């Protein structure tokens, strides 16, 4: 069992402004834990989380990956940070970036937060370079205005307000994620039935050459949550 | 508050920005140092992704002149340790 990252430094005041890890977060952690051997074997150079919020998910994957690639020779100091992977974390909410930073600090995980929308200014340099992409998006269906306002305000509502079918933000990212993923890259996405999971999967395969599996699904109260994992379809590595 | 490894991956995407705007310029420089585990394999893997001139410039702006202007072909330990320090331990805050 990989321990859940230590979040005791985050307070109720932080969670007034930043998404508090909930069932969707934990389902994503469980999906990553279930894939831990594959993830270690992948030895990712770059991990990119969109919408990192508290930083819980990236700190968790850093725990999974951290020790696996330690150099065999003994180091004479006890290192404060592991450095086998870069953990880039974006969020539109500036306070989320601060929380991600402190969560990294408290978990000896070198998380590098960037306050931007989606992959923002990283996209150009990260072209086909990212080995692990993670996104637990604002997936709740709302009227479009509500999602637009939330994106403008960059506050807590941006954590869930997803516009039509809850796909307003996610769709923008799905258009671009194929350009970010390395050939061996994988992309984990949280979704709910209102997002039309079969439709997402069909479209990603047809338009972007990304094939997917449902790694986990779970009912939590009124929500039915899914974690999808996308990889490049065999023979599709030359598209995009 | 960015480490130089992140800074090196950031390109200006605002309309009207061109390659001259890369990399983003530092303002009101302060730096913070935090020790990170030395991992030569990671550094060698990351080398091809680095925009070398931008990294050297950024490091110099922050007062670190340990990196050569040209990316060396021989990756000896001393070079890798300097690179490690610049990429992973120096943070512009
Ligand atoms: C459901 S929360 C997930 C937070 C955290 N990853 C977790 O699993 O607990 C969605 C996060 O996405 C962020 N977000 C919303 N729109 C975004 C955008 N356009 N670009 C980057 N982040 C965004 C929100 O601020 C929020 O932190």
């Amino acid at each position: 069992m990989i321990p859940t990252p230590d979040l005791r430094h985050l307070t109720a005041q932080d969670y007034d402004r930043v998404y508090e890890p909930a069932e969707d977060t934990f389902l994503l952690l469980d999906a990553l834990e279930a894939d831990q051997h594959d993830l270690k074997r992948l030895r990712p150079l770059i991990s990119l989380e969109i919408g990192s919020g508290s930083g819980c998910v990236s700190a968790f994957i850093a725990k999974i990956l951290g020790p696996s690639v330690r150099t065999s020779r003994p180091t004479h100091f006890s290192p404060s940070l592991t450095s086998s992977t870069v953990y880039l974390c974006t969020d539109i909410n500036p306070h989320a970036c601060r929380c991600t930073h402190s969560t990294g600090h408290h978990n000896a995980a070198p998380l590098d937060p960037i306050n931007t929308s989606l992959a923002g200014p990283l996209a150009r340099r990260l072209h086909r370079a990212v080995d692990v992409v993670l996104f637990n998006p604002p997936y709740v269906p709302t009227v479009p205005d509500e999602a637009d306002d939330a994106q403008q305000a960059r506050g807590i509502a941006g954590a869930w307000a997803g516009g039509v079918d809850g796909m307003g933000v996610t769709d923008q990212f799905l258009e671009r994620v194929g350009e970010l993923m390395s050939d061996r890259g994988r992309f984990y996405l949280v979704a709910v039935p209102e997002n039309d999971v079969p439709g997402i999967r069909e479209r990603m395969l047809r338009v972007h050459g990304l094939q997917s599996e449902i790694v986990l699904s779970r009912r939590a109260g009124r929500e039915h949550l899914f974690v999808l994992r996308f990889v490049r379809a065999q023979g599709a590595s030359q598209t995009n | 508050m960015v480490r130089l490894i992140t800074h090196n991956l950031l390109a200006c995407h605002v309309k009207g920005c061109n390659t001259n705007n890369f990399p983003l310029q530092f303002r009101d420089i302060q730096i913070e140092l935090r020790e990170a585990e030395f991992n030569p394999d990671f550094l060698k893997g990351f080398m091809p992704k680095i925009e070398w001139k931008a990294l050297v410039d950024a490091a110099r702006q922050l007062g670190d002149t340990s990196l050569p202007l040209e990316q060396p072909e021989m990756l000896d330990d001393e070079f890798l340790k300097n690179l490690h320090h610049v990429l992973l331990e120096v943070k512009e805050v």
Side-chain angles (χ1 to χ4, degrees):
Chain A
M1 268 258 322
I2 316 268
T4 308
D6 184 352
L7 298 176
R8 281 173 299 180
H9 55 286
L10 299 180
T11 63
Q13 283 79 27
D14 290 318
Y15 293 136
D16 284 343
R17 300 158 72 188
V18 174
Y19 192 75
E20 178 167 6
E23 289 300 332
D24 47 354
T25 316
F26 299 125
L27 190 69
L28 182 51
L29 299 192
D30 290 346
L32 294 173
E33 180 160 11
D35 274 2
Q36 60 174 301
H37 298 296
D38 288 346
L39 288 168
K40 284 185 194 165
R41 216 171 304 134
L42 187 66
R43 288 175 160 238
L45 208 53
I46 302 181
S47 161
L48 170 67
E49 181 178 14
I50 307 296
S52 59
S54 63
C56 183
V57 179
S58 282
F60 187 78
I61 196 170
K63 278 194 204 291
I64 291 180
L65 295 173
S68 68
V69 272
R70 279 255 160 84
T71 40
S72 47
R73 56 174 150 160
T75 39
H76 49 283
F77 58 87
S78 63
S80 49
L81 296 173
T82 58
S83 52
S84 44
T85 307
V86 195
Y87 301 97
L88 303 168
C89 299
T90 74
D91 205 296
I92 41 159
N93 176 341
H95 195 63
C97 294
R98 286 190 281 274
C99 292
T100 293
H101 184 257
S102 58
T103 294
H105 193 84
H106 282 88
N107 289 275
L111 307 186
D112 287 311
I114 299 137
N115 184 210
T116 191
S117 178
L118 305 178
L122 293 164
R124 184 168 74 83
R125 293 287 312 288
L126 292 186
H127 185 78
R128 290 193 160 239
V130 186
D131 299 314
V132 180
V133 184
L134 306 163
F135 194 14
N136 177 9
Y139 54 70
V140 178
T142 61
V143 294
D145 277 357
E146 193 173 344
D148 292 347
D149 291 350
Q151 290 284 305
Q152 292 290 326
R154 297 174 165 244
I156 185 75
W160 47 268
V164 177
D165 299 334
M167 288 296 285
V169 179
T170 308
D171 265 342
Q172 294 173 43
F173 188 65
L174 292 182
E175 282 302 307
R176 308 294 307 275
V177 65
E179 294 163 27
L180 295 168
M181 288 164 67
S182 69
D183 280 350
R184 55 197 195 119
R186 33 176 71 205
F187 165 40
Y188 293 86
L189 176 73
V190 176
V192 292
E194 294 84 343
N195 303 152
D196 182 14
V197 172
I200 295 176
R201 298 183 60 197
E202 185 276 327
R203 182 162 48 101
M204 292 306 281
L205 182 60
R206 182 170 44 82
V207 182
H208 300 286
L210 296 177
Q211 71 188 35
S212 56
E213 269 178 59
I214 296 176
V215 221
L216 270 184
S217 77
R218 184 179 296 159
R219 279 183 200 284
R222 291 185 300 128
E223 278 188 330
H224 190 183
L225 296 159
F226 292 82
V227 176
L228 309 182
R229 181 187 57 225
F230 297 88
V231 296
R232 259 178 227 294
Q234 297 292 322
S237 62
Q238 292 315 310
T239 55
N240 272 296
Chain B
M1 213 165 53
V2 298
R3 296 199 293 173
L4 291 194
I5 194 166
T6 315
H7 176 263
N8 197 258
L9 293 172
L10 291 170
C12 183
H13 70 316
V14 177
K15 219 165 126 200
C17 251
N18 55 40
T19 44
N20 296 335
N21 299 79
F22 175 83
L24 305 178
Q25 297 294 317
F26 294 124
R27 279 186 314 187
D28 307 330
I29 299 175
Q30 267 193 32
I31 62 167
E32 178 186 305
L33 299 178
R34 172 117 196 242
E35 205 168 88
E37 179 192 1
F38 179 59
N39 184 340
D41 291 340
F42 169 77
L43 295 167
K44 287 177 194 158
F46 205 81
M47 285 277 286
K49 309 221 187 293
I50 297 173
E51 290 221 5
W52 191 255
K53 189 178 169 318
L55 181 68
V56 174
D57 284 353
R60 288 181 184 215
Q61 278 189 55
L62 301 183
D64 188 307
T65 55
S66 64
L67 295 179
L69 285 172
E70 299 286 328
Q71 194 162 331
E73 275 162 27
M74 269 292 296
L75 307 181
D76 60 30
D77 237 38
E78 189 192 333
F79 165 74
L80 288 172
K81 287 207 163 112
N82 290 337
L83 178 63
H84 164 76
H85 178 69
V86 167
L87 273 184
L88 300 171
E89 295 186 325
V90 179
K91 186 181 224 174
E92 181 272 337
V93 292

